[in-house]
């Protein structure tokens, strides 16, 4: 098994079929094997049914993990990653805001020896073909400012939902994460750095899907709390044991 694709899904019945069709059509034309792991984050809609129907109708095995309650994107991705068997593991959003084809830009870096290769919307060669609404872009900028000041410098876009890892690297990182919701990417990258892994940020395409599951006020507040927790954990040395040197 070469590639594992982990897709967290919360109320994605309107996106998931197209996403699975697109991913399988793309990967079936590749010369490497893959697996798909969907982590249903306690969807209230028919997400699971749509995935099961697709899997049966096309004879494509898909692993479905089911959260009993809505745990958050971070914990959902973690569960999928810890179960993955591919040599490399990618996590991507269920709406494919970064098209799956972009993995072709990330894989060469992994093959060149990078441990973590992340999609980015903030580099010169990123192409924002459909942008997020202005308030989301601005919230993202403020969040990033907090990340730079409080947690770590140097990564331009920690929040793009398209990240590729060597499997053993992903498992080592995700087995140590504590953040369950949308700020988990920051913790993942911080732990990756502490462990001394080589991270590459690569400009990708972004076609924003407006079918967002984010509650602007509630989730912004939660993200800041999570960020503050990462800051405190870091301050009191919780990530220190991971430092290789
Ligand atoms: N998601 C999840 N649990 C949640 C909320 C979201 O697993 O509680 C998943 C969602 O299904 C999607 C990804 O996280 O695959 C990103 O969510 P969304 O596309 O709504 O975020 P946005 O693009 O607005 O940042
Ligand atoms: Mg989205």
């Amino acid at each position: 098994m070469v590639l594992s694709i982990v897709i967290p899904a919360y109320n994605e019945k309107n996106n998931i079929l197209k996403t699975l069709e697109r991913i399988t059509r793309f990967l079936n034309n590749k010369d490497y094997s893959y697996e798909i792991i969907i982590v249903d984050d306690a969807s209230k809609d028919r997400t699971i049914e749509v995935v099961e129907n697709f899997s049966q109708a096309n004879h494509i095995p898909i692993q479905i993990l089911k959260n009993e309650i809505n745990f958050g994107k971070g914990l959902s991705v973690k569960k999928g990653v810890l179960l993955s068997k591919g040599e490399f593991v990618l996590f991507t959003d269920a709406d494919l805001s970064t098209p799956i084809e972009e993995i072709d830009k990330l894989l060469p870096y992994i093959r060149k020896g990078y441990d973590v290769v992340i999609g980015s919307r903030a580099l010169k060669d990123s192409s924002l073909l459909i942008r997020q609404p202005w308030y989301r872009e601005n919230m993202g900028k403020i969040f990033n400012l907090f990340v730079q000041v409080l947690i770590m410098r140097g990564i331009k876009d920690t929040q793009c939902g398209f990240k590729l890892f060597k499997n053993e690297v992903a498992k080592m990182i995700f087995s140590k994460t504590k953040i369950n919701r949308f700020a988990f990417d920051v913790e993942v990258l911080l732990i990756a750095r502490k462990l001394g892994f080589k991270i590459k940020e690569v400009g990708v395409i972004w076609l924003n899907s407006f079918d967002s599951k984010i509650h602007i006020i509630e989730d912004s507040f939660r993200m800041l709390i999570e960020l503050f927790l990462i800051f405190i954990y870091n301050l009191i040395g919780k990530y220190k044991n991971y430092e290789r040197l």
Side-chain angles (χ1 to χ4, degrees), residues 12 93-97 136 206 208-213:
E12 296 285 1
D93 289 348
D95 54 25
L96 286 184
S97 283
R136 278 293 303 273
W206 183 267
N208 196 59
S209 154
F210 294 95
D211 179 22
S212 173
K213 306 298 171 308

Side-chain angles (χ1 to χ4, degrees), residues 26-61:
F26 175 70
L27 292 179
N28 287 342
N29 285 321
K30 295 283 177 188
D31 56 5
Y32 52 79
S33 52
Y34 68 93
E35 65 172 354
I36 298 176
I37 303 173
I38 304 277
V39 189
D40 177 74
D41 198 9
S43 297
K44 298 187 190 85
D45 67 6
R46 295 172 42 248
T47 299
I48 293 183
E49 204 181 314
V50 175
V51 175
E52 284 171 346
N53 289 345
F54 173 85
S55 170
Q56 276 161 22
N58 297 282
H59 308 288
I60 297 173

Side-chain angles (χ1 to χ4, degrees), residues 8-244:
Y10 178 58
N11 293 342
E12 296 285 1
K13 90 168 161 33
N14 296 331
N15 293 318
I16 200 73
L17 180 61
K18 241 209 230 145
T19 293
L20 290 173
E21 283 170 354
R22 183 126 176 231
I23 290 179
T24 52
R25 203 182 319 132
F26 175 70
L27 292 179
N28 287 342
N29 285 321
K30 295 283 177 188
D31 56 5
Y32 52 79
S33 52
Y34 68 93
E35 65 172 354
I36 298 176
I37 303 173
I38 304 277
V39 189
D40 177 74
D41 198 9
S43 297
K44 298 187 190 85
D45 67 6
R46 295 172 42 248
T47 299
I48 293 183
E49 204 181 314
V50 175
V51 175
E52 284 171 346
N53 289 345
F54 173 85
S55 170
Q56 276 161 22
N58 297 282
H59 308 288
I60 297 173
I62 295 177
Q63 286 196 64
I64 307 175
L65 304 182
K66 299 171 189 172
N67 291 346
E68 285 137 43
I69 54 168
N70 179 255
F71 286 131
K73 179 181 177 186
L75 192 56
S76 303
V77 168
K78 173 176 181 156
K79 284 173 115 184
V81 164
L82 292 182
L83 262 186
S84 66
K85 295 191 195 68
E87 195 182 334
F88 313 124
V89 48
L90 173 85
F91 70 76
T92 177
D93 289 348
D95 54 25
L96 286 184
S97 283
T98 295
I100 188 64
E101 290 76 10
E102 296 298 273
I103 195 167
D104 284 349
K105 288 188 191 153
L106 271 53
L107 274 171
Y109 289 100
I110 283 272
R111 296 209 158 105
K112 250 187 258 172
Y114 283 94
D115 301 298
V116 179
V117 186
I118 64 172
S120 176
R121 298 163 293 184
L123 299 179
K124 282 208 188 82
D125 57 352
S126 310
S127 21
L128 308 181
L129 300 181
I130 303 177
R131 299 175 75 122
Q132 291 182 301
W134 62 272
Y135 53 88
R136 278 293 303 273
E137 278 197 2
N138 286 337
M139 283 162 53
K141 281 184 189 147
I142 295 168
F143 182 81
N144 190 253
L145 197 66
F146 277 111
V147 172
Q148 302 287 329
V149 173
L150 295 177
I151 318 282
M152 63 184 160
R153 271 161 228 279
I155 295 174
K156 293 244 165 75
D157 180 11
T158 55
Q159 296 312 109
C160 178
F162 197 81
K163 295 185 169 69
L164 181 68
F165 305 75
K166 287 183 182 153
N167 193 310
E168 66 280 9
V169 168
K171 292 223 171 91
M172 217 187 276
I173 296 170
F174 276 92
S175 61
K176 298 171 178 28
T177 58
K178 305 172 183 62
I179 298 299
N180 290 348
R181 290 187 182 272
F182 285 115
F184 81 101
D185 304 71
V186 176
E187 190 188 33
V188 162
L189 295 171
L190 178 66
I191 295 174
R193 277 217 177 155
K194 297 269 181 192
L195 288 168
F197 289 126
K198 274 175 77 185
I199 305 174
K200 174 74 185 172
E201 189 173 359
V202 178
V204 291
I205 293 174
W206 183 267
L207 294 137
N208 196 59
S209 154
F210 294 95
D211 179 22
S212 173
K213 306 298 171 308
I214 290 196
H215 296 104
I216 298 297
I217 296 175
E218 191 184 323
D219 283 317
S220 308
F221 185 65
R222 277 176 165 169
M223 277 177 87
L224 288 182
I225 292 193
E226 286 188 333
L227 210 55
F228 189 64
L229 270 179
I230 300 170
F231 171 72
I232 297 291
Y233 288 156
N234 198 19
L235 199 69
I236 62 174
K238 278 220 182 207
Y239 303 119
K240 213 173 157 62
N241 323 342
Y242 311 153
E243 284 167 34
R244 271 187 182 168

